[in-house]
Amino acid sequence: MSSGTNDESHGANFLRERLPQQPAKPQQAESEETAKHAVSDLNCQEGKSEKVEKRTYGRTPNGVVFTVPETKDMVSTLFSPTEPKKVADIIVITCLASLIALFFLVPSSLRVPFYGIVFLCWRAAYNGGIGWLLYVQSNDKRLTNWAKKTGIFEHPSTGKNTQPWLYPLLRRDFETQIPKDYKFEKAPLEYNTWLLFRCVVDLILMSDFTSYCLFAAACGGTPPDESAYVTVARWVVGWLLIFFNLWVKLDAHRVVKDFAWFWGDFFFLIDQELTFDGVFEMAPHPMYSVGYIGYYGISLLAASYKVLFISLIAHAAQFAFLAFVESPHIEKTYNPPQPRKRLSRNPSDEDLTDSQELDLGHSHRYPPIASAEQPSSVHNLIGLRNMDVHRITDVAVVLLQIYMLSFTLLTPPTLLYQVFFVTNAVIWRIWYSLGLGFILDRQSNKKKWTRHFIKYGESTEEAWRQWKGVYHLSMTMCYLSFITAAWKMYTLPENWSYGLVLLRHVVGVVMIGLQIWTFFSMYESLGEFGWFYGDFFFDHAPKLTYSGIYRFLNNPERIIGLAGIWGVAIMCWSRSIFFLAVLSHLLTLVFIQFVERPHMQKLYGESLRQDSGVSKNLKRAIPKPIRAWQGSVDRVISDTMDFIEDFIDSAKPKLEAGYDKIVSDSRTLFKHYPARISITRVTSDLAGLNPADYRLDIEGTPPLSPMLAERERISGREGEHARMPPRRTSTFKTLMFEYGAPIKVKWTAPPNHGKKDWVGLYMVADNASRKVTRVSSQGRWIATNEGVFDNTNADDGILVGSKNILAGDWKDNKAEKKDCCVGEMEFAGDKLWWTTGVFEFRYHHNGKHNVMAISLPFEIRIGRFDEHEVDRDSSGSLRPAIEEALLPVVRNCFDRDENIAPRTVDEAFGNLVEREGRFARRVVFAVHQM
């Protein structure tokens, strides 16, 4: 171990000394880890140096360390007359000039639909086109593989460049764009690919924004009945939003530079410490969230609903791009799951201290009032996926919702029912904020809720479960009663174009979406434990972190957490609903101030943050006189709050014990669709190929109890002659493999077989034809040759690539010996079917779906656990037998990955198991079959 560490350190030191001396010449590291350490150290040295011009260092996925040249921003490169123009710049400028010229050439009656369609096309090219390119680059490195395969950056004299006419053009453009620390021939392929990708991005982004502005100009105008005051206010607010948007973009670029601005980490990495201040402390993903607020400023200037709606479409598409492309890549690159910690030994009873005994069980036959361990998160409550009809809380919530919604829809909107529903909403809101707040306050100071259950011999975790149910039910009814009250008070507009009717509904829907997103973000940051105020019940070691939405706001529910309620009030435009919104907001502030904040101060003390990221930036922007006035106001408010707290403490109001919880759907898991080969027509290049020369042989792990699996086929439901094992006239036995175990495939093909041949795994019943496969493999396929497909997943599983064997090299006694090619591959993990059934492998020709060979069919079967056929231990327990039967199944379900799969029954799972729900679903299915 020490030798490997010293070698790695020596390699990193060599790179740190060599690269600054020759900044334009990349250096190959011994390993990826060595490259990572070298880049991190080099960037740290540059950050501490006092040089005016500092270099940045990066690394490629294969361990090449290089100097990342400084590039100039897109706008100055395009429009600055002092900057030399490359061919890509001329193409972008020509495209923009054409869009502007068409604005004056297209008839005024056609400008709006024309530029609306043009903008939507460019927006689709942005979020759809660029998104797809980045997705395949992140998952398969398809862009860099394309550049490597075409040799587009290789000198034509090497003969590897399939487009030699492009080489001098690209070389001149790139070296013109980057005059320092860059040589086209020596730059890593990944960096050159990124520069070429940037040229495409420049064209799409500039055309997207220009066509949007032209569409706004075509739609712009002044409403006929608008007063001068409204016009002035509209223009002032519009320009303020535009200038704020401009500041957001500039400040974001200041922090992330061109590297992150143009998605450089999809191609190579820069290991350095960045200070995410400024706009990054104000909003999550500022370039996509508040970075689009200028669109709404332009909508105000145009005074057009068409511009507003198309802005909402563009903003929604940008969020989809973030959710499906950028966020998964960020999670995979910068937040990989930590490896599982191995357990060295099991603590014996003699090793346990008194405090550990209190945590593990009951002391003196009484449960502990407070546990130092967080409760189990196996059976969560929040989200549709966690709905359990065997749990009384879920059943009660569903039945009450059905009852309330039915009662709302079946009753007329008369004054009597309106008063009833509004009063019902008021009662539930008071109970939710004050009633449950009182319970939490007593729990924080006296542990009254927990003591009640301890009194009857229950545990702290049982008290916690009951509290979760009460909170969940109360929160659901609180918001449902508000929705039903709003339904009764809402009247569908007769004229949507009258006044601000349409605008009110648009703003209302956006605010509802903001509250839903806030709830999801809060739950993602807090988890089930924090969502249900777990630190009121479990005295775990205080550790306060500000992540997710809490990086920007200390209490999101104080402001945007109730945005949806105000959005409904704006849509209804009813005094009663506005009263409910005001009451909800006031009671929420009371709950935060008198229940949540005192407990947080008591638990976390000085580690509790006073100013959120948004507050700090706003305070920086406020002039000093106003800042001093604000300090005086804060002191007055603080003194007033102290007086109110003293008054409440002296009054000591007594409320009945209550329950509390909030409802929210769990975050939708975005499916990572595996790459698959699309079905194409039968190829015509099969001449000279004989299917008899192709062959597939398979090897797998047999079931743990093959005889038991065979006997399970005879269920007793068969006819009289079918209740005995079948008689066989050959030595062949049905192939049965273990559920989730890897399967090896050995293939044989003639020497002239297609370079893009591939083998797929299918259910036998899915294909009617034995000559052509007409169903997708859904990612369950492996190529016979490495590097022939752009999709890198195609190479995952290749054990032995295509290998030529001459007829005289055969070592067995085959009757017919021919020249051939052989290879070996292994199907494991996501390339397997995670169900039971009968399957087969199919060998396909040259990237098409023509079948050249089919393996023997085999069955994936999970043997049932029979307690009568296993041995019990000395105490008569079945536990050792159950553990022995489950361990190999669980290891298979976790892909036998040493980082997550337990080696023994006592070892914990890796973090990836909690992040990827498919592992748990595999285990649940297997246990159900057993």
Side-chain angles (χ1 to χ4, degrees), residues 29 51 68 83 176 198 286 292 301 329 359 380 423 430 435 459 466 504 527 532 551 597 656 673 751 757 775 891:
K51 295 187 298 184
V68 181
E83 294 291 334
T176 300
R198 277 191 58 172
Y292 270 71
L301 298 182
H329 178 78
D359 294 341
N380 286 339
T423 305
I430 293 174
S459 64
Q466 295 297 332
R504 285 196 289 106
F532 288 107
R551 170 180 165 83
R597 189 163 189 167
E656 293 294 330
Y673 293 98
D757 286 1
V775 64
R891 284 184 55 80

Side-chain angles (χ1 to χ4, degrees), residues 712 739 835-836 862-865 923-930:
E712 286 176 1
Y739 172 75
T835 185
T836 56
I862 303 174
R864 298 190 66 82
F865 181 82
V923 176
V924 170
F925 175 79
V927 173
H928 181 264
Q929 296 297 312
M930 295 175 71

